[in-house]
């Protein structure tokens, strides 16, 4: 793909990236950051690609494999920890109002 | 860009689907109702893209090794994410982010070693990936060490630090430009080293309270590094995913900084000046009024309206459930109880909500700062459990305090204030809290869980 096409995709992605999170509530800042963190874990794909074209037993291969390891940690760990954070939003039965204003 | 391999149509379409799933995931994660689904959507997108890669017809030598490392990495990530206590979650996210940035930097290094290209665009993006990825890596490691309290949480100001940092930054940029103009391998390694050092220097002077903002910023940087690596490899999905995270992460960083009332520039460069390490300079031997669990129980039991302010100390002591027990008990006595949640209570925005949800505290009782602040003046007793910086009026008054300008919970407006504290040690930001010396303040020293358990027991007899 030529440079201009990639640049187009890049610019449009910037706008989409801004747009999708513009209305996030404070409560979700951390989970959202963690979720975005998991998404850039797809960097593992790039690591696999470069490992796949490195010469066997070369320095490049071992560096690439280290990248595979790190990328996989980022990807899998990122999604799992985000999911744990968001367990709070699992559907619960609505809690009854706690206070009913009696005398102390 | 490697021109040797062109993905077949079905692979390209799969990547497009994955990109759309990532956008939908981010969108869903921005709303409480759909947030959990969002994680699932994102995970499906990532699994789809990674799976398709193996069958895309791209040349994959060393397949067994690749799969081996992939499996080990996945297991490490899985176990770390499952085992981590929710209190330590922010630093784990920082660590995950760091390794992602490190992966991007290494990819660019390998691509440089394997592909012998002097295409300037290829070199520009390779250099960008190496620099940004390495900064995200080493910077995140330092934030991890700070949050894990393996090193001081106060801003670290090295003598001449500002000048060393500037020098390293300039050297990095010069090295990068040199590498683009005159590609040579030793320069690549030098660049990698310089960027790693810069990442450390960049985060060291950041004070504890600002660490979350920096994590978010480093997260956005990793996104950009991944995007640049996508350009280097000619992989559109990496470009899109990385850019999405880079853009949304930048906006998120800004939103967080705003929620904490911290202009981004002062977070990043404020500590350079070295003025922040100060504080009120007041000694800890000043008189305070401490009470017993019984005193506290009596104050609470005869109040009409109580506001609970949970902080990180509560989380550390794993006292969420005990606090809820106390709240339930007060509510049974007809006392109005609310939880006041500062945006950065705990260690990061939203952290406290997660912790309290674990203890099944009804979501409706959690009041955000803007909502609860006007209510403090009509409140009889505020119970501050293991929080300090988020109620410290120095944020309003002391221009030299590192937290100056951060919006705080106005607990000092209440009739009486009770602090459950471990000791007189200042909070994460390392500054004295004047409220502790206020005559209407009572302190109950001890572990938050012990103290709360005693107060609950005493309250039952009130």
């Amino acid at each position: 793909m030529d440079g201009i096409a990639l640049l187009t995709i890049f610019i449009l992605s910037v706008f989409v990236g801004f747009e999708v999170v513009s209305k996030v509530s404070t409560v979700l800042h951390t989970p959202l950051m963690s979720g975005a963190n998991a998404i850039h874990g797809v960097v593992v794909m790039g690591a696999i690609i470069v490992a796949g074209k490195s010469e066997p037993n070369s320095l490049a291969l071992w560096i690439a494999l280290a990248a595979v390891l790190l990328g996989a940690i980022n990807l899998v760990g990122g999604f799992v920890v985000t999911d744990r954070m968001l367990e709070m939003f699992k559907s619960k039965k609505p809690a009854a109002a706690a206070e009913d204003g009696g005398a102390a | 860009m490697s021109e040797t391999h062109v993905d077949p149509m079905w692979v390209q379409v799969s990547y497009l689907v994955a990109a759309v799933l990532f956008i939908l995931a981010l969108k869903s994660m921005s709303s409480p109702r759909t947030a959990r689904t969002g994680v699932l959507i994102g995970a499906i997108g990532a699994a789809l893209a990674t799976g398709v890669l193996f069958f895309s017809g791209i040349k994959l030598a060393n397949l067994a090794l690749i799969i081996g490392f992939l499996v080990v990495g996945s297991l490490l990530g899985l176990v770390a994410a499952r085992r981590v206590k929710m209190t330590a979650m922010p630093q784990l996210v920082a660590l995950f982010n760091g390794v992602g940035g490190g992966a991007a930097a290494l990819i660019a290094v390998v691509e440089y070693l394997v592909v012998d290209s002097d295409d300037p665009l290829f070199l520009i993006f390779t250099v960008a990936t190496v620099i940004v990825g390495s900064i995200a890596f080493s910077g995140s490691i330092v934030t991890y060490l700070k949050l894990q309290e393996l090193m001081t949480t106060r801003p670290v100001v090295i003598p001449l630090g500002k000048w060393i940092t500037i020098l390293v930054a300039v050297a990095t940029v010069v090295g990068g430009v040199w590498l683009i103009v005159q590609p040579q391998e030793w320069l690549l390694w030098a660049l990698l080293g310089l960027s790693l050092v810069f990442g450390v220097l960049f985060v060291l002077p950041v004070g504890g309270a600002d660490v979350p903002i920096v994590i978010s910023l480093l997260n956005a940087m990793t996104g950009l590094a991944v995007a640049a690596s996508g350009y280097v490899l000619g992989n559109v999905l990496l470009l899109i995913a990385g850019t999405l995270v880079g853009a949304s992460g930048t906006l998120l960083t800004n939103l967080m900084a705003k929620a904490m009332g911290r202009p981004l520039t002062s977070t990043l460069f404020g500590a350079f000046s070295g003025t922040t390490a100060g504080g009120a300079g007041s000694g800890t031997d000043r008189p305070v009024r401490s009470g017993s669990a019984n005193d506290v129980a009596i104050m609470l039991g005869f109040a009409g309206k109580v506001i609970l302010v949970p902080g990180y100390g509560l989380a550390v002591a794993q006292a969420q459930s005990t606090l809820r027990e106390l709240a339930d008990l007060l509510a049974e006595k007809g006392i109005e109880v609310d939880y006041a949640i500062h945006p950065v209570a705990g260690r990061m925005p939203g952290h406290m909500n997660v912790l309290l949800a674990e203890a099944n505290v009804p979501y409706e009782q959690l009041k955000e700062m803007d909502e609860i602040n006007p209510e403090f003046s009509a409140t009889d007793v505020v119970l501050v459990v293991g929080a300090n910086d988020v109620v410290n009026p120095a944020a309003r008054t002391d221009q030299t305090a590192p937290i100056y300008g951060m919006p705080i919970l106005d607990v000092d407006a209440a009739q009486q204030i009770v602090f459950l504290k471990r000791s007189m040690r200042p909070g994460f930001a390392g500054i004295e809290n004047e409220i502790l010396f206020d005559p209407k303040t009572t302190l109950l020293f001890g572990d938050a869980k012990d103290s709360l358990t005693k107060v609950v027991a005493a309250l039952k007899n009130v």
Side-chain angles (χ1 to χ4, degrees):
Chain A
M1 201 174 291
D2 62 26
I4 282 296
L6 290 173
L7 186 67
T8 309
I9 293 171
F10 172 74
I11 303 280
L12 292 179
S13 302
V14 169
F15 279 94
V16 175
F18 274 132
E19 192 53 41
V20 286
V21 303
S22 56
K23 292 188 190 73
V24 62
S25 81
T26 321
V27 186
L28 281 171
H29 279 175
T30 299
L32 180 63
M33 174 173 70
S34 178
N37 174 40
I39 287 176
H40 70 49
V42 288
V43 71
V44 74
M45 287 176 66
I48 294 169
I49 294 172
V50 292
K53 60 184 173 188
S54 302
E55 293 295 323
N57 276 320
S58 62
L59 173 66
L61 175 63
W62 292 107
I63 300 176
L65 289 174
V68 172
L69 187 81
L70 297 181
I73 293 175
N74 183 187
L75 185 70
V76 176
F79 278 113
V80 174
V81 83
T82 310
D83 188 56
R84 276 190 64 193
M85 272 182 227
L86 287 171
E87 271 171 15
M88 63 187 279
F89 294 113
K90 66 182 173 234
S91 41
K92 273 183 289 199
K93 59 178 193 313
E99 65 267 61
D100 45 17
Chain B
M1 272 176 289
S2 55
E3 311 286 358
T4 45
H5 172 81
V6 177
D7 287 318
M9 180 70 93
W10 73 272
V11 174
Q12 296 192 28
V13 171
S14 306
Y15 288 167
L16 175 63
V17 171
V20 171
L21 289 175
F22 288 155
I23 294 171
L24 292 175
L26 284 174
K27 182 83 200 157
S28 307
M29 282 189 277
S30 307
S31 153
R33 229 165 13 88
T34 52
R36 280 203 102 189
T37 327
V39 182
L40 189 64
I41 296 173
I44 291 172
L48 171 74
T50 316
V52 163
L53 176 65
F54 283 99
F55 301 98
S56 65
I58 199 169
K59 180 191 160 224
L60 285 181
N62 318 305
L63 194 59
L65 277 173
I66 292 175
I67 292 178
F69 276 77
L70 192 62
V71 169
V72 173
S74 303
L75 286 177
L76 286 176
L78 181 71
V79 170
R82 282 236 162 275
R83 290 250 176 106
V84 67
K85 287 196 191 125
M86 283 321 257
T87 44
M89 172 266 295
Q91 49 267 48
L92 189 68
V93 173
L95 201 60
F96 285 157
N97 173 48
V99 295
L106 294 181
I107 288 168
V109 168
V110 176
E111 188 69 3
Y112 180 90
L113 296 177
V114 172
V115 179
D116 196 16
S117 167
D118 51 7
D119 171 24
L121 272 177
F122 169 82
L123 290 169
I124 288 172
F125 281 96
T126 302
V127 165
T129 312
V130 170
I131 295 180
V132 179
S134 308
I135 294 173
F137 176 75
S138 61
S140 296
I141 301 294
V142 177
T143 56
Y144 172 82
L145 295 175
K146 282 191 184 226
L147 286 176
Q148 192 72 28
E149 298 189 3
L150 293 173
M151 62 175 282
T152 173
T153 58
R154 296 175 137 220
V156 177
V157 182
I158 352 178
L160 295 176
K162 184 172 147 191
W163 298 107
I164 298 173
T165 310
I166 291 173
L167 196 71
V168 173
V170 170
T172 309
V173 172
V174 170
V177 173
W178 189 1
L179 188 67
I180 293 163
V181 179
Q182 255 184 337
Q184 41 203 316
E185 199 183 314
W186 71 267
L187 203 51
L188 183 75
W189 299 112
L191 194 64
L192 190 70
L194 281 171
S195 313
L196 288 172
V197 172
F198 179 76
V200 173
L201 292 173
F202 172 69
V203 178
L204 271 184
V206 174
D210 286 333
V211 167
I213 300 177
V214 172
I215 295 182
S216 179
L217 183 74
L218 293 171
N219 185 45
M221 287 176 70
T222 303
L224 289 179
V226 171
S229 77
Y231 188 95
V232 170
L233 298 171
N235 184 302
V236 178
L237 182 59
L238 286 189
L239 178 67
I240 296 177
T243 311
L244 282 174
V245 176
S248 59
T250 307
L251 184 67
L252 193 56
T253 307
N254 233 317
L255 292 175
M256 272 192 191
K258 256 189 217 153
M260 298 172 70
R262 312 282 293 146
L264 207 49
T265 44
S266 84
T267 303
L268 302 180
F269 305 111
F272 276 92
S273 53
T275 53
T276 54
S282 30
T284 43
D285 47 357
R286 286 166 59 190
V288 292
R289 189 165 61 135
S290 62
S292 67
N294 222 3
D295 301 334
V296 174
I298 290 168
M299 284 164 69
L300 291 172
F302 290 95
K305 181 176 167 62
V306 171
I307 295 180
L308 307 171
V309 179
Y312 188 68
L314 173 93
V316 171
Q318 294 288 316
Q320 303 95 304
S321 305
T322 323
L323 183 66
R324 202 207 66 211
E325 208 183 317
L326 177 69
D328 291 349
L329 201 57
L330 290 172
E332 269 172 41
K333 290 178 179 284
I335 299 164
E336 196 184 336
V337 186
D338 283 309
Y339 295 80
I341 310 294
H342 189 274
V344 292
R347 279 289 190 266
M348 302 188 91
H351 192 185
M352 188 51 67
N353 301 65
V354 175
L355 295 168
L356 289 176
E358 263 193 321
N360 291 319
V361 173
Y363 193 56
E364 298 74 25
Q365 283 182 14
L366 308 183
K367 298 269 179 72
E368 289 191 31
M369 184 173 60
D370 295 338
E371 193 184 343
I372 198 96
N373 260 348
E375 293 187 29
F376 280 110
S377 52
T379 301
D380 303 306
V381 183
V382 173
L383 182 66
V384 183
V385 187
N388 195 354
D389 297 332
V390 297
V391 299
N392 191 340
R396 286 195 299 251
T397 53
D398 180 2
Q399 294 207 15
T400 62
I403 59 166
Y404 180 70
M406 179 172 87
I408 57 162
L409 293 166
D410 299 325
V411 297
D412 47 350
Q415 301 303 313
Q416 282 179 306
I417 308 151
V418 178
F419 271 87
L420 301 192
K421 271 181 80 65
R422 199 175 251 297
S423 67
M424 283 302 286
R425 206 170 70 94
F428 196 55
I431 31 172
E432 203 77 77
N433 189 343
E434 285 301 318
I435 299 187
L436 298 176
F437 308 103
D438 193 304
K440 61 184 181 184
T441 298
T442 307
L443 285 98
L444 177 55
F445 287 111
D447 173 77
K449 190 166 190 170
D450 284 351
S451 298
L452 280 173
T453 312
K454 284 182 198 149
V455 172
V456 167
L459 193 61
K460 285 183 178 151
N461 301 321
V462 168

